[in-house]
Amino acid sequence: MTQHAQATQRSQATQRSQATQRSQATQRSQAKEERRVALLSAAAGLFAENGFARVSLEDLGAAAGVSGPAVYRHFPGKQAVLGELLLSVSRELQDGGLKVVAEAGNALAALEGLVAFHVDFALRNPDVIRVQDRDFGSLSEADQSEVRALQRGYVETWVDVLKEVHPGSDPAELRVRAHAAFGLINSTPHSVRQHGRKIAVKSARPVLERMALAALTVGTPAG
């Protein structure tokens, strides 16, 4: 075998080794992210059912299929889990709301899209809504500030659309409309249950959408 051929073989072997290492690193990264997502999902359910203060790291780990100490590989502590849970959904709302408006053809279509988007979020995340309502005060001050900022931005996305639907209206009044719609939609953890029985999402969705849109458009020709 010539020196050139040997060099080519060594180069190919090195490339295969590097590719294997990259693949293994990617798999480890994906597995770590999956465990992190599983921990957040478990936290939403446990915090909603028992309250933040009554849930331990061991409880979180057990629900996600890892040991209590293993939680520290993903989060510095229980409060950080709560922070990431509420921050992630606040970012989801802010980013999703902006996308809905950007893709809408007009103000009324944007408003309908925002209502459908928020109803979908509420129906998918009733546990998170309960945690937000009850355990917001358990966040660190920094996380509270960031969550509030994200939520204010989300509200203003709605207000900007409502300004076009209700031209000349006081922005303060439009914020009241937006918050009233959120209150109606976010009642999902309670409204989708009736005497201990769960109402089907397909039944709850159109009711919530119609009621929210009616509240938001009342006083306009579209309303």
Side-chain angles (χ1 to χ4, degrees):
M1 182 180 293
T2 66
Q3 290 183 341
H4 177 71
Q6 290 175 338
T8 299
Q9 276 192 341
R10 287 195 296 269
S11 176
Q12 291 174 342
T14 298
Q15 291 175 356
R16 287 195 295 270
S17 176
Q18 290 174 341
T20 298
Q21 290 174 356
R22 287 194 296 269
S23 176
Q24 290 174 342
T26 298
Q27 291 173 357
R28 288 194 296 270
S29 178
Q30 290 175 342
K32 183 175 181 180
E33 178 60 20
E34 288 172 0
R35 286 192 293 271
R36 179 178 172 279
V37 170
L39 281 166
L40 290 173
S41 177
L46 288 173
F47 292 161
E49 182 177 357
N50 303 307
F52 173 77
R54 298 178 61 186
V55 176
S56 67
L57 281 177
E58 288 70 22
D59 295 331
L60 285 176
V66 300
S67 66
V71 176
Y72 287 109
R73 298 175 189 166
H74 307 276
F75 300 97
K78 188 176 70 166
Q79 189 180 49
V81 177
L82 177 65
E84 181 57 27
L85 177 65
L86 297 185
L87 281 167
S88 63
V89 296
S90 297
R91 295 186 192 109
E92 178 185 343
L93 285 171
Q94 171 72 315
D95 294 344
L98 290 172
K99 182 179 179 182
V100 166
V101 174
E103 295 176 350
N106 55 60
L108 187 57
L111 188 61
E112 291 172 346
L114 285 172
V115 168
F117 167 72
H118 197 96
V119 168
D120 180 68
F121 168 84
L123 290 172
R124 286 187 293 105
N125 298 279
D127 287 342
V128 175
I129 291 172
R130 292 177 64 189
V131 173
Q132 162 79 25
D133 289 345
R134 183 175 56 197
D135 294 315
F136 180 83
S138 295
L139 290 171
S140 69
E141 290 186 7
D143 284 347
Q144 286 188 31
S145 178
E146 187 173 353
V147 169
R148 287 195 183 103
L150 288 165
Q151 292 177 346
R152 283 195 298 270
Y154 182 58
V155 171
E156 291 309 305
T157 297
W158 284 65
V159 171
D160 288 342
V161 172
L162 287 169
K163 286 177 182 176
E164 297 186 53
V165 177
H166 299 276
S169 295
D170 183 348
E173 176 189 328
L174 300 180
R175 290 186 187 93
V176 171
R177 284 184 184 256
H179 281 291
F182 297 157
L184 187 156
I185 297 170
N186 289 348
S187 67
T188 300
H190 310 289
S191 62
V192 297
R193 295 183 183 278
Q194 187 177 58
H195 304 303
R197 292 176 298 172
K198 201 170 185 179
I199 299 175
V201 166
K202 66 179 181 180
S203 299
R205 184 189 303 277
V207 173
L208 289 169
E209 289 183 357
R210 287 196 302 269
M211 292 179 68
L213 195 59
L216 289 162
T217 57
V218 66
T220 70

